[in-house]
């Protein structure tokens, strides 16, 4: 009778160890799948952001820069910008693609 109880305890211990190992493996698998998924999403977002920024800079460069009204944040500089007068009399300055991109990123 004692050997049968010992055998049942041994089987119960083996089953509980195997069950715990299966749960641990399942949790580890889920963790690594989630981590890889998050990394792939982050890479895709980075690619999209880079492509958007590159497209904006190419667009601004293909138009020879962008003309914006003069205000406190965009004051005219004779080194970097060209000035124009709009049809409504408003003074405009040209900002290059790099400065336009920088201003775009900060707002």
């Amino acid at each position: 009778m004692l050997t049968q109880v010992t055998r049942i305890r041994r089987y119960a211990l083996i089953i509980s160890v195997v069950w715990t190992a299966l749960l641990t493996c399942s949790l580890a698998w889920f963790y690594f799948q989630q981590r890889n998924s998050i990394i792939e999403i982050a890479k895709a977002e980075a690619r999209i952001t880079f492509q958007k920024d590159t497209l904006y800079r190419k667009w601004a460069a293909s138009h020879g820069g962008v003309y914006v009204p003069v205000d406190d944040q965009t004051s005219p500089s004779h080194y970097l910008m060209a000035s124009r007068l709009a049809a409504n009399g408003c003074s405009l300055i040209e900002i290059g693609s790099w400065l336009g991109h920088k201003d775009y990123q900060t707002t």
Side-chain angles (χ1 to χ4, degrees), residues 36-94:
N36 289 340
S37 176
I38 289 170
I39 289 172
E40 288 302 315
I41 290 170
K43 285 180 182 178
E45 288 289 328
R47 268 189 238 102
I48 290 168
T49 301
F50 180 76
Q51 289 172 354
K52 175 189 60 89
D53 293 346
T54 304
L55 181 65
Y56 175 78
R57 290 188 73 163
K58 285 181 180 178
W59 174 83
S62 71
H63 288 81
V66 178
Y67 285 90
V68 296
V70 177
D71 60 4
D72 295 337
Q73 295 176 348
T74 54
S75 58
S77 167
H78 62 279
Y79 294 112
L80 301 174
M81 301 174 193
S83 297
R84 301 285 158 120
L85 193 60
N88 62 356
C90 180
S91 179
L92 299 175
I93 55 171
E94 178 187 6

Side-chain angles (χ1 to χ4, degrees), residues 10 15 22 24 35 42 48 53 59-60 65 73 92 96 104 107:
R10 185 179 306 149
I15 289 172
L22 285 173
T24 303
R35 184 172 180 262
I48 290 168
D53 293 346
W59 174 83
Q73 295 176 348
L92 299 175
Y104 172 73
T107 55

